[in-house]
Amino acid sequence: MTQTIVSDQLQQPSLRVHAHDNVRVALRDLPEGMEIDDNGGHRLCLSEAVQHKHKFTLHAMQPDELIVMYGVTVGRVVEPIAAGAAITTANVEHSTANAKPQGHREHWDAPDVSAFTGQTFDGYHRSDGRVGTANHWLVIPLVFCENRNIEVLRQCVEDAIGDDPYRDYKHMARRMLHGDAQAAPAPTPDAALFPNVDGVRFLTHTLGCGGTDDDAQSLCQLLAGYICHPNVAGATVLSLGCQKAQIEMLKEAVAKRDPEGLRPVHYFEQQATNTEPELIRQALGSIFDGLKVANAVERRPAPLSELTIGVECGGSDGFSGLSANPLVGAVIDRLATLGGSGILSEFPELCGVEHELLARCRDDATAERFQELMEAYQRHAASVGAHFSMNPSPGNIRDGLITDAMKSAGAAKKGGDSPIVDVLDYTEPQVRKGLNLLCSPGNDVESTTALVGSGANLVMFTTGLGTPTGNPITPVLKLASNSELAQRMHDVIDFDAGPIIRGEADIAELADELLRLCIDTASGRYRTKAMRLSQLDFIPWKRGVSL
């Protein structure tokens, strides 16, 4: 699945990604009548204008013929298409060709990582041996009924320690309402109070009761993944008391991940407390005590093998699979070679490339687990009248991702080319070093939430249209597939993969640069744009129904 794009191709107005492809990608807006050289001595005249990022046919195609891109089937023709015409949702529908893999790959071409041999990052070493890239105290509700009290705690703590992420906006509002002369200056946080703590994180959600027992168990497993995450020093938990997701369920889930009880967790139940003020007082005391505990841990050097990078995409465009996604995959290959780990999620966006992933599984058991989880997810979608082919959003389609298979073929590039060592169901913790697959939905925030819950201590997130997605406890690096986006949303984007599209840099060159940025982020030397904007998104995946 390694993709090699040579720069002389990228100087052309269009690109044929794989030798077996029967479509090309427009790298800029192409006018009707323009002649295209396919680099094989054949010239093609465009029968209509083609927008940049969209694909056009190399020859006339009839219904039932297959569209091939990235060397795999990504669609089926439903209406005749002229040579040099754009493929659209009107003339192509989702289709895949799931050829069965012939055994498992025994060898892969590991990248040269000599430039990173012996390098370290400065992380937070936990008692269980894992290393965090950040240091947070966590405050979470077991049920949505406690969201209001979580918000009370958030405002109280931020006011007390001077760490209100929206202080500048509040100052802006005061100036707008009263004028500069009457507006009080925005207070600055007192960083000296807890210099080794990256902040208190307050989660809210809509689950914990009113759903299935499985949803309650799943929520507790996810919350336990966050509580026991290497980026978390400890947690304060609020419970109402009567909900399905009981304190004992969460304690059991935490004990599975932390059998020696090394992580401090404080539980408070409102229905067992005399008054709400008493509940808030007790919870505040546990948070401030927890901050002192967290502040006692300082960053120390750790090997790159302690990095686990989750990979995600959102707001993808027609360039995502050509630049940002394979760039991320190249970083994951480097990290795997160095003994670290990657997690590739979003099962609906792996539809159509299953056979390639199955061939990369380290053994039959791993391959069977992937196939079982994938088929179970598809059956669940079918039971509610849905299908993976419904995955592409209007924005995806507008920017050239016509079918789910086309989107998947590019999305899977984030996983690079290294062997797949394990397959995880939702909320399962990552335990094996190397590339892991994680069953999660295609929803950006739900999937990012899942990646972190399974242990990712850093996330690389690619986008072609732009999205501010972040996470409460794990840094999320945002990569733009094109430079126009990187410039337009510069306050959101951390890294520009656009030079790959323009032929100004190759993937290997930028992969080394991006890995260095990952190391700086993991060390606290670089603060991601999502963290600067306090983009702290947390949405659990609700697999069941409301009752």
Side-chain angles (χ1 to χ4, degrees):
M1 291 178 65
T2 299
Q3 178 182 353
T4 302
I5 300 178
V6 293
S7 60
D8 62 341
Q9 286 180 303
L10 290 172
Q11 301 296 338
Q12 302 297 320
S14 66
L15 172 69
R16 189 178 188 179
V17 180
H18 191 280
H20 293 160
D21 292 358
N22 53 19
V23 295
R24 293 179 72 92
V25 185
L27 298 179
R28 54 183 172 84
D29 289 342
L30 305 179
E32 179 181 354
M34 181 176 184
E35 286 196 349
I36 301 294
D37 185 351
D38 70 357
N39 298 322
H42 176 258
R43 298 189 69 79
L44 171 71
C45 181
L46 294 183
S47 57
E48 63 178 341
V50 181
Q51 291 182 325
H52 75 298
K53 306 180 186 178
H54 284 253
K55 291 79 185 172
F56 58 90
T57 58
L58 300 183
H59 57 80
M61 303 189 73
Q62 299 301 317
D64 291 330
E65 288 191 65
L66 299 178
I67 300 292
V68 178
M69 188 175 174
Y70 298 102
V72 299
T73 299
V74 297
R76 184 181 71 86
V77 177
V78 294
E79 296 287 344
I81 310 175
I87 65 171
T88 68
T89 54
N91 55 34
V92 170
E93 69 177 10
H94 171 82
S95 182
T96 64
N98 292 321
K100 292 188 180 299
Q102 302 299 313
H104 301 292
R105 189 184 309 170
E106 296 181 358
H107 174 75
W108 72 291
D109 295 323
D112 178 10
V113 294
S114 56
F116 297 94
T117 303
Q119 281 205 26
T120 61
F121 72 97
D122 294 330
Y124 294 97
H125 294 250
R126 303 300 180 188
S127 301
D128 61 4
R130 295 189 297 166
V131 182
T133 62
N135 190 23
H136 298 289
W137 187 266
L138 197 58
V139 185
I140 59 176
L142 255 177
V143 62
F144 56 81
C145 307
E146 290 300 313
N147 283 348
R148 181 261 184 189
N149 288 332
I150 296 292
E151 178 61 17
V152 170
L153 291 171
R154 183 186 70 80
Q155 293 197 28
C156 291
V157 171
E158 288 172 354
D159 182 71
I161 65 178
D163 189 26
D164 183 354
Y166 308 117
R167 62 185 179 276
D168 292 335
Y169 288 145
K170 291 177 179 178
H171 184 46
M172 177 196 303
R174 288 194 296 270
R175 289 202 318 269
M176 292 174 66
L177 181 62
H178 299 293
D180 290 343
Q182 300 182 47
T188 56
D190 187 355
L193 281 174
F194 306 103
N196 297 321
V197 181
D198 293 294
V200 183
R201 294 291 181 253
F202 301 84
L203 307 186
T204 57
H205 56 81
T206 61
L207 302 182
C209 202
T212 65
D213 291 345
D214 285 345
D215 274 337
Q217 287 286 358
S218 182
L219 174 66
C220 288
Q221 293 294 336
L222 178 68
L223 295 179
Y226 273 68
I227 291 170
C228 299
H229 195 281
N231 289 2
V232 171
T236 297
V237 180
L238 294 194
S239 167
L240 178 60
C242 59
Q243 73 277 351
K244 276 197 173 183
Q246 289 286 299
I247 286 178
E248 286 306 313
M249 293 166 59
L250 180 57
K251 285 184 175 181
E252 289 177 10
V254 169
K256 288 181 180 178
R257 289 168 169 78
D258 181 23
E260 298 182 31
L262 301 174
R263 194 66 49 94
V265 188
H266 310 298
Y267 299 90
F268 300 94
E269 186 170 292
Q270 185 168 10
Q271 290 174 346
T273 307
N274 290 329
T275 63
E276 181 188 286
E278 178 64 14
L279 175 75
I280 297 300
R281 187 190 69 78
Q282 292 178 7
L284 282 173
S286 81
I287 294 170
F288 294 139
D289 288 344
L291 281 170
K292 296 173 185 175
V293 171
N295 194 54
V297 184
E298 298 181 0
R299 289 186 183 271
R300 291 188 288 113
L304 298 186
S305 58
E306 292 302 319
L307 282 180
T308 297
I309 301 182
V311 295
E312 180 71 23
C313 58
S316 298
D317 71 345
F319 287 161
S320 292
L322 307 179
S323 58
N325 289 352
L327 173 60
V328 163
V331 173
I332 294 300
D333 284 347
R334 281 158 173 72
L335 186 61
T337 304
L338 291 162
S341 304
I343 307 179
L344 174 65
S345 59
E346 297 182 291
F347 270 28
E349 299 192 3
L350 301 180
C351 176
V353 293
E354 296 99 326
H355 55 292
E356 295 191 28
L357 295 171
L358 287 168
R360 289 171 54 188
C361 290
R362 65 175 187 148
D363 53 33
D364 288 342
T366 305
E368 289 170 6
R369 184 95 199 284
F370 173 52
Q371 201 154 20
E372 288 169 1
L373 288 174
M374 192 68 142
E375 290 173 355
Y377 196 158
Q378 290 174 321
R379 287 194 301 271
H380 181 65
S383 70
V384 295
H387 189 272
F388 285 175
S389 62
M390 301 166 66
N391 178 270
S393 69
N396 294 151
I397 294 170
R398 187 175 58 247
D399 260 48
L401 297 177
I402 303 301
T403 69
D404 182 58
M406 184 181 296
K407 186 177 181 182
S408 296
K413 298 294 181 185
K414 301 191 303 294
D417 201 42
S418 64
I420 295 168
V421 300
D422 206 357
V423 180
L424 313 173
D425 198 1
Y426 179 62
T427 75
E428 287 184 343
Q430 175 253 334
V431 293
R432 292 194 177 103
K433 299 282 189 180
L435 179 63
N436 291 245
L437 301 183
L438 171 64
C439 182
S440 80
N443 179 296
D444 305 346
V445 177
E446 287 178 345
S447 185
T448 302
T449 299
L451 285 167
V452 176
S454 288
N457 54 11
L458 190 64
V459 172
M460 290 190 291
F461 189 116
T462 69
T463 181
L465 304 177
T467 170
T469 303
N471 183 264
I473 64 171
T474 290
V476 178
L477 283 166
K478 223 72 60 54
L479 286 78
S481 70
N482 61 89
S483 297
E484 186 276 331
L485 170 64
Q487 294 164 5
R488 177 166 44 84
M489 298 185 70
H490 60 87
D491 60 329
V492 168
I493 300 299
D494 298 281
F495 195 92
D496 180 15
I500 296 172
I501 296 295
R502 297 194 303 277
E504 297 172 359
D506 60 31
I507 289 176
E509 175 187 351
L510 285 189
D512 287 347
E513 183 180 338
L514 180 55
L515 180 53
R516 284 190 285 270
L517 179 60
C518 288
I519 294 170
D520 284 344
T521 304
S523 301
R525 295 188 292 268
Y526 177 81
R527 193 161 180 251
T528 66
K529 301 293 181 66
M531 282 296 184
R532 296 181 209 180
L533 292 172
S534 295
Q535 188 77 35
L536 311 176
D537 301 309
F538 178 83
I539 302 180
W541 182 19
K542 187 176 185 294
R543 284 169 129 171
V545 296
S546 293
L547 300 174

